[in-house]
Every structure is written in C-alpha cells, then in structure tokens.
Coordinates of all heavy atoms in Angstrom, one line a residue:
T1 N 0.8 -1.2 0.0 CA 0.0 0.0 0.0 C 0.9 1.3 0.0 O 1.9 1.3 0.6 CB -0.9 0.0 1.2 OG1 -1.7 -1.2 1.2 CG2 -1.8 1.2 1.3
G2 N 0.4 2.3 -0.7 CA 1.0 3.6 -0.7 C -0.1 4.7 -0.7 O -1.3 4.4 -0.5
Y3 N 0.3 5.9 -0.9 CA -0.6 7.0 -1.0 C -1.5 6.8 -2.2 O -2.7 7.0 -2.2 CB 0.1 8.3 -1.1 CG 0.7 8.7 0.2 CD1 2.1 8.5 0.5 CD2 0.0 9.3 1.3 CE1 2.7 8.8 1.7 CE2 0.6 9.6 2.5 CZ 1.9 9.4 2.7 OH 2.5 9.7 3.9
L4 N -0.9 6.4 -3.3 CA -1.6 6.2 -4.6 C -1.7 4.7 -4.9 O -2.8 4.2 -5.3 CB -0.8 6.9 -5.7 CG -1.5 6.9 -7.1 CD1 -2.8 7.6 -7.1 CD2 -0.6 7.5 -8.1
H5 N -0.6 3.9 -4.7 CA -0.6 2.5 -5.1 C -1.5 1.7 -4.1 O -1.4 1.8 -2.9 CB 0.9 2.0 -5.0 CG 1.0 0.7 -5.6 ND1 1.0 -0.5 -4.9 CD2 1.2 0.3 -6.9 CE1 1.2 -1.5 -5.7 NE2 1.3 -1.1 -6.9
K6 N -2.3 0.9 -4.7 CA -3.2 0.0 -4.0 C -2.5 -1.2 -3.6 O -1.9 -1.8 -4.5 CB -4.5 -0.2 -4.7 CG -5.3 1.1 -4.9 CD -6.7 0.8 -5.5 CE -7.4 2.1 -5.7 NZ -8.2 2.5 -4.5
G7 N -2.5 -1.6 -2.4 CA -1.8 -2.8 -1.9 C -2.5 -4.1 -2.2 O -3.4 -4.2 -3.0
L8 N -2.1 -5.1 -1.4 CA -2.6 -6.5 -1.6 C -4.1 -6.6 -1.5 O -4.7 -7.5 -2.1 CB -1.9 -7.4 -0.6 CG -0.4 -7.4 -0.7 CD1 0.2 -8.3 0.4 CD2 0.1 -8.0 -2.1
T9 N -4.7 -5.7 -0.7 CA -6.2 -5.8 -0.6 C -6.9 -4.7 -1.4 O -8.0 -4.3 -1.2 CB -6.6 -5.6 0.9 OG1 -6.2 -4.3 1.3 CG2 -6.0 -6.7 1.7
Q10 N -6.1 -4.1 -2.4 CA -6.7 -3.1 -3.3 C -7.1 -1.8 -2.5 O -8.0 -1.2 -2.8 CB -7.8 -3.6 -4.1 CG -7.4 -4.7 -5.1 CD -6.3 -4.2 -6.1 OE1 -6.4 -3.2 -6.7 NE2 -5.2 -4.9 -6.1
A11 N -6.3 -1.5 -1.5 CA -6.5 -0.3 -0.6 C -5.3 0.6 -0.7 O -4.2 0.1 -0.7 CB -6.8 -0.7 0.8
A12 N -5.5 1.9 -0.8 CA -4.5 2.9 -0.6 C -4.5 3.5 0.8 O -5.4 3.1 1.5 CB -4.6 4.0 -1.7
F13 N -3.6 4.3 1.1 CA -3.5 4.9 2.5 C -4.9 5.6 2.8 O -5.3 5.5 4.0 CB -2.4 5.9 2.7 CG -1.0 5.2 2.8 CD1 0.1 5.9 2.6 CD2 -0.9 3.9 3.2 CE1 1.4 5.3 2.8 CE2 0.3 3.2 3.4 CZ 1.5 4.0 3.2
S14 N -5.5 6.3 1.9 CA -6.8 6.9 2.2 C -7.8 5.9 2.6 O -8.6 6.2 3.5 CB -7.2 7.7 1.0 OG -6.4 8.9 0.8
D15 N -7.8 4.8 2.0 CA -8.8 3.7 2.4 C -8.5 3.2 3.8 O -9.4 3.0 4.6 CB -8.7 2.5 1.4 CG -9.1 2.9 0.0 OD1 -10.1 3.6 -0.2 OD2 -8.3 2.6 -0.9
L16 N -7.2 3.1 4.1 CA -6.9 2.7 5.5 C -7.2 3.7 6.5 O -7.6 3.4 7.6 CB -5.4 2.3 5.5 CG -4.9 1.2 4.6 CD1 -3.4 0.9 4.7 CD2 -5.7 -0.1 4.7
I17 N -7.0 5.0 6.1 CA -7.4 6.1 7.0 C -8.8 6.1 7.4 O -9.2 6.2 8.5 CB -7.0 7.5 6.4 CG1 -5.4 7.6 6.3 CG2 -7.6 8.6 7.1 CD1 -4.9 8.7 5.4
K18 N -9.7 5.8 6.4 CA -11.1 5.7 6.6 C -11.5 4.6 7.6 O -12.4 4.7 8.4 CB -11.9 5.5 5.3 CG -11.8 6.7 4.4 CD -12.4 6.3 3.0 CE -12.2 7.5 2.1 NZ -12.6 7.1 0.7
E19 N -10.7 3.5 7.6 CA -10.9 2.4 8.5 C -10.4 2.7 9.9 O -11.1 2.2 10.9 CB -10.1 1.1 8.0 CG -10.6 0.4 6.8 CD -9.7 -0.7 6.5 OE1 -8.8 -1.1 7.2 OE2 -9.9 -1.3 5.4
A20 N -9.3 3.3 10.1 CA -8.7 3.4 11.4 C -8.8 4.7 12.1 O -8.7 4.7 13.3 CB -7.2 3.0 11.2
V21 N -8.8 5.8 11.4 CA -8.8 7.1 12.1 C -10.1 7.5 12.7 O -11.1 7.5 11.9 CB -8.2 8.2 11.1 CG1 -8.2 9.6 11.8 CG2 -6.8 7.8 10.7
R22 N -10.1 7.9 13.9 CA -11.3 8.2 14.7 C -11.3 9.7 15.2 O -10.2 10.2 15.4 CB -11.6 7.3 15.8 CG -11.6 5.8 15.5 CD -13.0 5.5 14.8 NE -13.0 4.1 14.3 CZ -12.9 3.7 13.1 NH1 -12.7 4.6 12.1 NH2 -13.0 2.5 12.8
P23 N -12.4 10.3 15.4 CA -12.4 11.7 15.9 C -11.6 12.0 17.2 O -11.1 13.1 17.3 CB -13.9 12.0 16.1 CG -14.6 11.1 15.2 CD -13.7 9.8 15.2
D24 N -11.5 11.0 18.0 CA -10.8 11.2 19.3 C -9.3 10.9 19.2 O -8.6 11.0 20.3 CB -11.5 10.5 20.5 CG -11.4 9.0 20.3 OD1 -11.2 8.5 19.1 OD2 -11.5 8.3 21.3
D25 N -8.8 10.5 18.1 CA -7.4 10.2 18.0 C -6.6 11.5 18.3 O -6.9 12.6 17.9 CB -7.0 9.8 16.5 CG -7.5 8.3 16.3 OD1 -7.7 7.6 17.2 OD2 -7.6 8.0 15.1
K26 N -5.5 11.2 19.1 CA -4.6 12.3 19.4 C -3.4 12.4 18.5 O -2.8 13.4 18.3 CB -4.1 12.1 20.9 CG -5.2 12.1 21.9 CD -5.9 13.5 21.9 CE -7.0 13.5 23.0 NZ -7.9 14.5 22.8
V27 N -3.0 11.2 17.9 CA -1.9 11.2 17.0 C -2.3 10.2 15.9 O -2.9 9.2 16.1 CB -0.6 10.6 17.7 CG1 0.5 10.5 16.7 CG2 -0.2 11.5 18.8
V28 N -1.9 10.6 14.6 CA -2.1 9.7 13.5 C -0.7 9.6 12.9 O -0.1 10.7 12.5 CB -3.1 10.2 12.5 CG1 -3.1 9.3 11.2 CG2 -4.5 10.3 13.1
V29 N -0.2 8.4 12.7 CA 1.1 8.2 12.1 C 0.9 7.5 10.8 O 0.2 6.5 10.7 CB 2.0 7.2 13.0 CG1 3.3 6.9 12.3 CG2 2.2 7.8 14.4
I30 N 1.5 8.1 9.7 CA 1.5 7.4 8.4 C 2.9 7.1 8.1 O 3.8 7.9 8.1 CB 1.0 8.4 7.3 CG1 -0.5 8.8 7.6 CG2 1.0 7.7 5.9 CD1 -1.1 9.8 6.6
F31 N 3.2 5.8 7.9 CA 4.5 5.2 7.8 C 4.6 4.5 6.4 O 4.0 3.4 6.3 CB 4.8 4.3 8.9 CG 6.2 3.8 9.0 CD1 7.0 4.3 10.1 CD2 6.8 2.9 8.2 CE1 8.3 3.9 10.2 CE2 8.1 2.5 8.3 CZ 8.9 3.0 9.3
G32 N 5.2 5.1 5.5 CA 5.3 4.4 4.2 C 5.5 5.4 3.0 O 5.9 6.6 3.2
G33 N 5.2 4.9 1.9 CA 5.4 5.7 0.7 C 6.3 5.1 -0.4 O 6.2 5.5 -1.6
M34 N 7.1 4.1 0.0 CA 8.0 3.5 -0.9 C 7.2 2.8 -2.1 O 7.7 2.7 -3.2 CB 8.8 2.5 -0.2 CG 9.8 1.8 -1.1 SD 10.9 0.6 -0.2 CE 9.8 -0.7 0.1
N35 N 6.0 2.3 -1.8 CA 5.3 1.6 -2.8 C 4.7 2.5 -3.9 O 4.2 2.0 -4.9 CB 4.1 0.8 -2.2 CG 4.7 -0.3 -1.3 OD1 5.5 -1.1 -1.7 ND2 4.2 -0.4 -0.1
D36 N 4.8 3.8 -3.8 CA 4.4 4.7 -4.8 C 5.5 5.0 -5.8 O 5.3 5.7 -6.8 CB 4.0 6.0 -4.2 CG 2.7 5.9 -3.5 OD1 1.8 5.2 -4.0 OD2 2.6 6.4 -2.3
T37 N 6.7 4.3 -5.7 CA 7.8 4.5 -6.6 C 7.3 4.0 -8.0 O 6.7 3.0 -8.2 CB 9.0 3.6 -6.2 OG1 9.4 4.0 -4.9 CG2 10.1 3.7 -7.1
G38 N 7.6 4.9 -9.0 CA 7.2 4.5 -10.3 C 5.8 5.1 -10.7 O 5.5 5.1 -11.9

C-alpha cells in the first residue's frame, strides 16, 4: 500500500485512514510511501 498505489487488498492509504482514524485520535502516524515508486 501507498498513498496512490493500492496494496494487496486493493486499498491505498486513504482507504486505510477511513478504516482506522477516529475523531478522538490524538496522533495519526502514516509510515510508508515506498510503494508509490514509479
């Protein structure tokens, strides 16, 4: 998965953000980006 590249489950980071990020989160860590190479 990357910001643009869809990973093994056909999800990009935005899709994962929709799954995991909640209004009461104090910190959101995005770790990656290498899969967008090319």
Side-chain angles (χ1 to χ4, degrees):
T1 302
Y3 291 96
L4 183 63
H5 192 264
K6 295 190 180 271
L8 299 175
T9 61
Q10 296 302 304
F13 283 162
S14 289
D15 300 309
L16 302 181
I17 290 167
K18 291 174 188 173
E19 288 178 9
V21 176
R22 302 288 177 254
D24 65 336
D25 285 341
K26 299 298 182 197
V27 177
V28 176
V29 178
I30 300 177
F31 191 106
M34 182 178 71
N35 293 312
D36 290 316
T37 302

